[in-house]
Amino acid sequence: MPNQPTSLPIMNENYEITVEQCDSYQEKGHIVVRNLARDEEIAVYEPLLSEWVRKLNNQDKPLEERDTYGKAFIQIGNLWREQEDLARFTLAKRFAKVAADLMGVDGVRIYHDQALYKEPGGGHTPWHQDQIYWPLDTDKTITMWMPLVPISEDIGSMTFASGSHKLGYINKMQISDESHKTLAQFIDGKGFEKVTYGAMEAGDATFHAGWTMHSAPGNPTSAMRKVMTIIYVADGTRIAEPDSNARRSDLESWLPGLKAGDLVSSPLNPLVYHRDM
């Protein structure tokens, strides 16, 4: 393990989101927030997160032998459960308050976190909707996507179909070549504007709604694209009856011990921010 400081940044201070930013998010289904985590905070947490990604990664096939999903990224979920130091990052109130403000809700819980590390030469992330995987009876879900290293224009950030979240559920296609082709045609047919925020600094973040269609380019560089994501759900949300294998799997993995109709409140779904806290 890398050398660890005796006191890790807690990141509970407020980051003020404007009314204009909230309105833009509600209209487009995505937004970029610059410098949400400071340089000195990223300098502490990036080595810790990366060490655990290396430790937990069980992908042993070379890129050329993987399917499209496998080429897209190394994916490690619920890192916050591995070590208290990592939990300080995922459970940061600063991040959670931004999520609550953008969605216009009083409080948010963790659905889960995910490290998404796109390897040098890694493939594109096909067009998809996150919430086809989630058995959640709400549209109040949001994902924070934060690079832990600077991302150049060559790699780029995600591309969003602006306003697509307003349609809600489109189809059940999981991330695949088929989802990329079908949703790309759908997006073009509906005339949705495709928006990317281009280069990003470590500690910048995008936020997007669970139904917002999005994709990401491949990584043509020699550097690992290191990204940490945190998925939030509005406090008070109930679990929907899972209607697919993907949602049944998510129910078991991220909402253990709960069933349709229950509140999202397992030990894996702590309340991380509420206006009354």
Side-chain angles (χ1 to χ4, degrees):
M1 290 285 290
N3 292 331
Q4 299 178 23
T6 56
S7 180
L8 294 172
I10 299 176
M11 300 186 292
N12 280 349
E13 310 93 330
N14 286 351
Y15 184 108
E16 293 301 328
I17 294 294
T18 67
V19 172
E20 291 75 20
Q21 286 176 303
C22 292
D23 289 346
S24 179
Y25 171 80
Q26 293 290 333
E27 178 64 24
K28 297 178 179 179
H30 59 85
I31 196 171
V32 66
V33 178
R34 302 291 183 182
N35 198 31
L36 182 55
R38 294 187 280 271
D39 289 345
E40 60 271 22
E41 294 165 342
I42 293 294
V44 170
Y45 283 108
E46 183 277 316
L48 294 173
L49 291 163
S50 295
E51 179 67 19
W52 277 92
V53 169
R54 286 190 292 270
K55 182 182 295 188
L56 298 175
N57 176 32
N58 59 8
Q59 178 60 263
D60 56 1
K61 289 184 178 180
L63 275 169
E64 60 270 16
E65 294 181 13
R66 304 179 204 168
D67 61 13
T68 298
Y69 191 98
K71 291 175 181 176
F73 36 61
I74 297 168
Q75 183 177 26
I76 309 293
N78 266 352
L79 277 172
W80 74 276
R81 296 284 290 180
E82 299 295 334
Q83 189 184 59
E84 183 178 352
D85 293 344
L86 305 183
R88 291 189 182 216
F89 184 91
T90 296
L91 305 184
K93 288 184 180 178
R94 186 194 305 160
F95 304 159
K97 182 179 184 298
V98 170
D101 287 346
L102 291 173
M103 290 195 292
V105 300
D106 289 335
V108 292
R109 290 179 177 270
I110 295 292
Y111 184 50
H112 61 85
D113 67 20
Q114 281 188 324
L116 299 176
Y117 279 37
K118 195 178 288 283
E119 298 155 281
H124 72 119
T125 306
W127 284 106
H128 65 283
Q129 293 180 294
D130 292 338
Q131 202 157 329
I132 64 137
Y133 292 94
W134 306 342
L136 302 173
D137 189 16
T138 185
D139 62 356
K140 298 297 186 183
T141 60
I142 193 169
T143 297
M144 184 190 84
W145 189 94
M146 178 180 285
L148 304 174
V149 294
I151 294 179
S152 67
E153 288 284 353
D154 289 338
I155 303 176
S157 52
M158 289 188 292
T159 300
F160 302 100
S162 285
S164 59
H165 65 301
K166 296 178 181 179
L167 298 182
Y169 166 85
I170 302 300
N171 60 47
K172 293 181 182 179
M173 283 190 299
Q174 299 181 42
I175 299 174
S176 63
D177 292 330
E178 183 184 4
S179 77
H180 191 68
K181 178 181 178 180
T182 302
L183 291 180
Q185 292 173 343
F186 181 87
I187 289 163
D188 290 341
K190 291 291 185 181
F192 288 120
E193 180 186 12
K194 288 176 276 191
V195 175
T196 181
Y197 296 105
M200 295 175 68
E201 295 298 323
D204 290 346
T206 61
F207 287 80
H208 66 271
W211 289 123
T212 300
M213 287 183 278
H214 59 286
S215 65
N219 180 5
T221 74
S222 60
M224 181 79 80
R225 188 212 72 179
K226 301 178 180 181
V227 168
M228 190 66 184
T229 67
I230 305 172
I231 304 165
Y232 301 94
V233 58
D235 184 38
T237 294
R238 293 190 181 275
I239 297 170
E241 185 68 48
D243 56 358
S244 67
N245 287 335
R247 287 180 167 176
R248 281 186 282 273
S249 176
D250 258 35
L251 178 60
E252 183 178 342
S253 297
W254 313 122
L255 303 159
L258 301 182
K259 62 185 185 302
D262 290 344
L263 288 169
V264 174
S265 60
S266 87
L268 299 186
N269 316 117
L271 182 67
V272 283
Y273 171 77
H274 197 282
R275 302 194 193 287
D276 295 334
M277 290 173 66

